[in-house]
Amino acid sequence: MTPENDAAARYFSAITAALSGLEVFMRDDRSPLYRHGIVAKIVAEYIARLDKSFSCWRNRLGFMDTFRISRAESGYPVFQNLLELENDRLQAEARLANIPQAGELREEMADFILRHKEFPEALQKSMAERLYLEDVKSEQTFGPFTLAQTAKVSVNPKTARPYYLVHWASFDGSANLPLVYMVTVEDSSESMVRQLVDRSGKLNDKVDIPLPVDGLLNPELAHRFDDFTEKNSAYTLSPATIAVNLDKDFEPLHPKQLRRVVLGPFYSAGITDNNSTVTEVLAKVRKPENAWLLTWTIQEVYSKGEKPGRKGLFSSEKTTQEFFINTDDLEAARQGVSSYENHALIPHEAYQALYAAGEAQKIFGGYKVHILSNGQVISDV
């Protein structure tokens, strides 16, 4: 195995272990995030998509020589890899039609070895390409942008408006980071209020809503909402800016809460150099598969009140939200959020190395630390 292939193998092993551990954390009912219930479930679904993407990229290395990651920043693959994955997904069926079936390839490989007494590299590449294309043609990878879904519908008893929990995701091409968005939004459209709210001000149980629903539940606004989310998902935009833009651009929609989960950066010994102290200590971890650290941030902005709209003969103003920004916390004000949480997931052996080096307190200051040990996640350390 070449040094490049060895490094790639270590990187894929580390990121797969990290994402698997993070999914365990999100689905664990003892997890601090589990109290949010559906939030953890939604994030876990996007983590599974990321895991699928890495499985595809790993297979792709069997017939392609290059794979670039953002070593000095996020520790994730560069954006070009996602574009190539998406392009391959669209072309998968056509390309598979020109590659022999897996069974045929195995027979050819066995025959080649018996006749030539050497490894059939060309056939091996064809097999790797087939496995890759079969894997990638499913739409369950983490693409450059994942369209919104409505995951929950209810009614606000105070306003008698239906509200939706809607989520979507993007991979920011500049920061090379996966971003998951969730918004709780009330809908004052007359047609939706009439359909979804019964006379007692509760959700109309006669309306069958097969959740999750692709897109925003309101069909009149769904296409515009998709356009909005695609244009307003950049990492450089603060959650407050996105919430204000949403409030401004849609007359009948009233965003009450917006969350963004930033899944990264990721640190891996001998691969990434995005933090010299972390890199130096992780290099001392005995088992390479345990020499990694994954961080993520949960940002939230919420409405503290609503300014009533005004309708007049010559001008009118829509109802607007007053979003709370915690100016008492300089970091919250900088991020443009009401609150935020920094989390870190690390294998037990790597945490011991950081602790023994006296670096744990400095590195994890301001973080909620979760340790992965024997397939379980231990929090509040």
Side-chain angles (χ1 to χ4, degrees):
M1 183 177 279
T2 66
E4 291 80 6
N5 286 344
D6 185 42
R10 282 189 287 116
Y11 175 76
F12 280 112
S13 294
I15 192 73
T16 300
L19 293 174
S20 298
L22 184 54
E23 193 172 1
V24 167
F25 171 77
M26 292 295 173
R27 296 189 188 277
D28 190 342
D29 58 6
R30 294 167 300 174
S31 156
L33 193 62
Y34 198 82
R35 67 182 183 273
H36 297 301
I38 195 168
V39 173
K41 181 176 178 291
I42 288 167
V43 176
E45 289 170 3
Y46 286 110
I47 294 165
R49 282 176 172 268
L50 262 180
D51 198 36
K52 183 73 168 176
S53 292
F54 277 100
S55 170
C56 292
W57 282 320
R58 196 173 211 161
N59 283 335
R60 194 171 186 268
L61 275 181
F63 63 96
M64 297 291 285
D65 295 329
T66 58
F67 185 81
R68 289 178 54 228
I69 66 168
S70 175
R71 294 182 57 187
E73 292 164 354
S74 71
Y76 275 90
V78 298
F79 190 59
Q80 183 66 25
N81 290 299
L82 277 93
L83 296 177
E84 289 171 357
L85 200 66
E86 183 67 10
N87 187 54
D88 289 344
R89 185 180 69 77
L90 296 173
Q91 297 179 2
E93 290 291 355
R95 285 169 59 182
L96 280 167
N98 296 316
I99 302 174
Q101 294 292 326
E104 293 176 46
L105 285 169
R106 288 191 189 95
E107 288 180 12
E108 286 186 47
M109 289 168 72
D111 184 58
F112 185 96
I113 292 169
L114 288 171
R115 284 190 295 110
H116 299 280
K117 310 298 183 191
E118 58 184 70
F119 191 76
E121 289 187 15
L123 290 169
Q124 175 66 22
K125 286 190 174 184
S126 293
M127 177 67 87
E129 186 172 4
R130 167 161 280 282
L131 291 173
Y132 166 73
L133 292 170
E134 286 176 348
D135 219 14
V136 83
K137 71 178 180 179
S138 89
E139 296 187 15
Q140 297 308 307
T141 53
F142 198 107
F145 181 77
T146 305
L147 288 167
Q149 276 193 338
T150 300
K152 180 182 178 182
V153 183
S154 194
V155 174
N156 183 342
K158 293 180 181 178
T159 61
R161 297 171 185 158
Y163 70 85
Y164 324 127
L165 174 61
V166 188
H167 61 89
W168 68 95
S170 72
F171 192 97
D172 188 273
S174 298
N176 287 308
L177 283 169
L179 309 172
V180 178
Y181 288 92
M182 282 164 265
V183 65
T184 302
V185 59
E186 291 184 10
D187 189 345
S188 59
S189 307
E190 287 184 20
S191 60
M192 299 307 289
V193 172
R194 191 166 56 248
Q195 284 183 65
L196 297 177
V197 185
D198 65 19
R199 290 182 179 180
S200 64
K202 295 181 179 178
L203 188 66
N204 187 350
D205 58 11
K206 294 179 182 178
V207 178
D208 181 33
I209 306 171
L211 296 171
V213 174
D214 286 341
L216 184 75
L217 190 63
N218 185 328
E220 294 176 7
L221 301 176
H223 287 302
R224 273 185 59 208
F225 188 84
D226 284 344
D227 289 341
F228 172 87
T229 52
E230 193 158 7
K231 292 171 183 172
N232 286 267
S233 294
Y235 184 52
T236 51
L237 294 175
S238 72
T241 299
I242 298 168
V244 168
N245 289 347
L246 178 58
D247 189 37
K248 181 179 66 178
D249 287 4
F250 292 85
E251 177 80 29
L253 296 184
H254 315 278
K256 297 297 179 179
Q257 181 190 54
L258 185 138
R259 277 196 186 95
R260 176 165 69 188
V261 182
V262 183
L263 293 170
F266 172 69
Y267 308 87
S268 177
I271 310 292
T272 62
D273 49 17
N274 35 10
N275 183 303
S276 57
T277 305
V278 174
T279 300
E280 188 179 320
V281 178
L282 288 182
K284 298 174 183 174
V285 175
R286 189 168 49 88
K287 294 182 179 177
E289 64 268 28
N290 289 334
W292 55 264
L293 165 64
L294 177 63
T295 64
W296 70 96
T297 302
I298 304 171
Q299 301 170 308
E300 178 187 339
V301 64
Y302 63 84
S303 171
K304 63 180 179 180
E306 191 170 274
K307 183 181 176 183
R310 179 179 59 83
K311 290 187 178 181
L313 288 172
F314 301 105
S315 66
S316 62
E317 293 178 2
K318 77 175 290 269
T319 300
T320 54
Q321 305 303 308
E322 296 177 326
F323 294 104
F324 171 65
I325 303 298
N326 186 2
T327 52
D328 291 336
D329 184 324
L330 291 177
E331 183 59 22
R334 186 191 68 79
Q335 293 184 28
V337 295
S338 309
S339 63
Y340 67 95
E341 293 178 3
N342 292 323
H343 293 261
L345 178 70
I346 187 169
H348 185 255
E349 185 186 352
Y351 182 79
Q352 281 187 316
L354 288 168
Y355 191 83
E359 300 289 352
Q361 190 170 357
K362 181 172 71 176
I363 289 168
F364 295 123
Y367 281 80
K368 296 184 178 182
V369 183
H370 316 283
I371 296 176
L372 183 63
S373 179
N374 298 320
Q376 294 187 317
V377 177
I378 304 160
S379 298
D380 303 320
V381 293

